[in-house]
Amino acid sequence: MFEPRIALGTVQFGQNYGVANELGQVGIQECGRILDEAFSQGVDTIDTAIGYGDSEVILGSLGLENWKIISKLPQLPESVFSNTFGWVLDQVTASLNRLRVGSLHGLLLHYPDQLLSPVGKDIYQSLLRLKEEGYVKKIGVSIYSPTELDSIFEEMHFDIVQAPFSILDRRLVNSGWLKRLRDANVEVHIRSIFLQGLLLMSNARRPQKFDRWQSIWSEWNRWLEENRLTPLEACLGYVLSIDDVDRVVIGVDSHAQLCEIFSSMNQRNLSLPKWPENMDMELLHPAHWVSL
């Protein structure tokens, strides 16, 4: 199915990533097959980051003509606070060299909380300057929770916001931020639609540490059976039914997995599972899973 709103996430190109990943880092030949397949299906956007291991180097070696590249800045170290723009420029220049492109379509802050620090305004002005000088077309932030936007957007405007969002994690809608971003003409890119693959796993494959949320998995399985859907069809169908979402970032471990995703895009208007009103943040935030 032709779905231009899909963006290809590439963290797996540069490192072993994801609770459901059984194949490890994707080999370079497989990366090339994935890129070719995605492009043939109308995908034109690649999401990567300086912190994604070798991802940018591998992408650059494969050739990125006709792709829109979005990358992300790592956290600004305190040692460079006196020369914020110099550090940001060095990071972006190195990124462009690795990617072998002349400019980025988008540059996001991977740690937007730094915008509230004493050098926050310097960081923001540095991003604006990169945009003015043609290094990047659009600037933005990658957030972990919509609450991070409450303070940031009082003083700063961005072109893109990337946020976690899924059939399980609907904070972006429930908080009102999805509508606010659209009203402000901000592009909304969503990620974690499979919750690192957790929503796609069977009870037998799901790590035992997630058994504490058994009531959620029971409801999920009941609802899937009632609607005669696979987990993949449900996850994709829900997010693609949200018109205010501009891009859906999807990462894969193989070419076969990408083909399965494209064949499972079957948008339907469905009632939603009966999830708890207040979802446990330990479940929605993968950074917390290490301590479970």
Side-chain angles (χ1 to χ4, degrees):
M1 176 180 288
F2 186 80
E3 180 47 78
R5 285 195 296 162
I6 297 296
L8 185 63
T10 59
V11 62
Q12 293 96 328
F13 285 21
Q15 61 192 51
N16 187 350
Y17 175 84
V19 69
N21 183 355
E22 297 177 344
L23 301 176
Q25 182 178 341
V26 182
I28 190 166
Q29 288 188 324
E30 191 74 351
C31 290
R33 294 184 68 208
I34 290 169
L35 286 181
D36 290 343
E37 181 67 33
F39 195 77
S40 73
Q41 295 286 348
V43 178
D44 65 359
T45 302
I46 288 174
D47 178 87
T48 188
I50 292 170
Y52 287 174
D54 298 327
S55 175
E56 290 188 334
V57 173
I58 290 168
L59 286 168
S61 70
L62 292 170
L64 298 173
E65 294 82 7
N66 302 316
W67 285 97
K68 297 176 181 176
I69 311 300
I70 296 174
S71 196
K72 307 180 194 75
L73 281 174
Q75 193 161 22
L76 188 81
E78 289 187 17
S79 60
V80 300
F81 280 5
S82 60
N83 184 23
T84 301
F85 179 71
W87 181 85
V88 170
L89 180 60
D90 287 346
Q91 292 291 315
V92 172
T93 300
S95 185
L96 294 175
N97 289 336
R98 287 189 293 269
L99 292 163
R100 304 182 190 180
V101 296
S103 63
L104 294 173
H105 179 73
L107 179 66
L108 312 182
L109 286 177
H110 224 154
Y111 299 90
D113 57 309
Q114 283 204 307
L115 292 171
L116 304 178
S117 74
V119 292
K121 290 185 179 179
D122 290 339
I123 296 173
Y124 179 61
Q125 290 300 320
S126 296
L127 295 179
L128 289 177
R129 185 171 168 185
L130 287 177
K131 184 177 173 182
E132 291 167 2
E133 296 184 8
Y135 289 94
V136 303
K137 184 177 180 181
K138 300 181 179 183
I139 60 173
V141 290
S142 174
I143 63 171
Y144 293 94
S145 169
T147 57
E148 292 180 89
L149 298 172
D150 294 342
S151 300
I152 293 172
F153 264 74
E154 290 178 4
E155 300 182 12
M156 304 174 187
H157 178 80
F158 292 96
D159 305 303
I160 300 172
V161 166
Q162 187 186 108
F165 183 65
S166 68
I167 194 169
L168 181 69
D169 180 4
R170 301 198 291 272
R171 289 174 293 168
L172 200 62
V173 167
N174 295 340
S175 65
W177 266 110
L178 181 59
K179 183 179 185 304
R180 289 179 65 180
L181 292 171
R182 297 303 297 158
D183 289 346
N185 295 317
V186 177
E187 280 187 33
V188 177
H189 296 194
I190 62 169
R191 66 177 189 278
S192 299
I193 72 164
F194 308 129
L195 203 58
Q196 284 197 14
L198 194 61
L199 288 171
L200 306 181
M201 300 174 96
S202 65
N203 287 336
R205 285 188 58 224
R206 190 182 304 114
Q208 286 187 345
K209 65 183 179 180
F210 295 103
D211 288 351
R212 60 193 291 185
W213 294 290
Q214 188 55 50
S215 61
I216 287 176
W217 311 132
S218 297
E219 169 60 15
W220 180 226
N221 291 332
R222 181 204 65 77
W223 181 85
L224 289 169
E225 183 176 351
E226 179 181 285
N227 289 280
R228 299 181 180 179
L229 289 169
T230 67
L232 186 57
E233 288 172 335
C235 290
L236 288 165
Y238 173 69
V239 297
L240 291 172
S241 72
I242 308 297
D243 293 334
D244 287 341
V245 168
D246 294 284
R247 289 288 186 276
V248 178
V249 180
I250 294 176
V252 297
D253 305 331
S254 67
H255 171 263
Q257 196 176 74
L258 182 63
C259 291
E260 184 182 4
I261 284 171
F262 283 124
S263 67
S264 299
M265 291 181 184
N266 179 22
Q267 296 182 44
R268 292 164 56 184
N269 292 321
L270 298 165
S271 60
L272 294 172
K274 297 174 182 177
W275 306 123
E277 281 191 26
N278 297 312
M279 195 66 67
D280 191 339
M281 289 301 104
E282 284 197 333
L283 174 59
L284 298 185
H285 199 331
H288 294 158
W289 295 352
V290 178
S291 60
L292 292 180

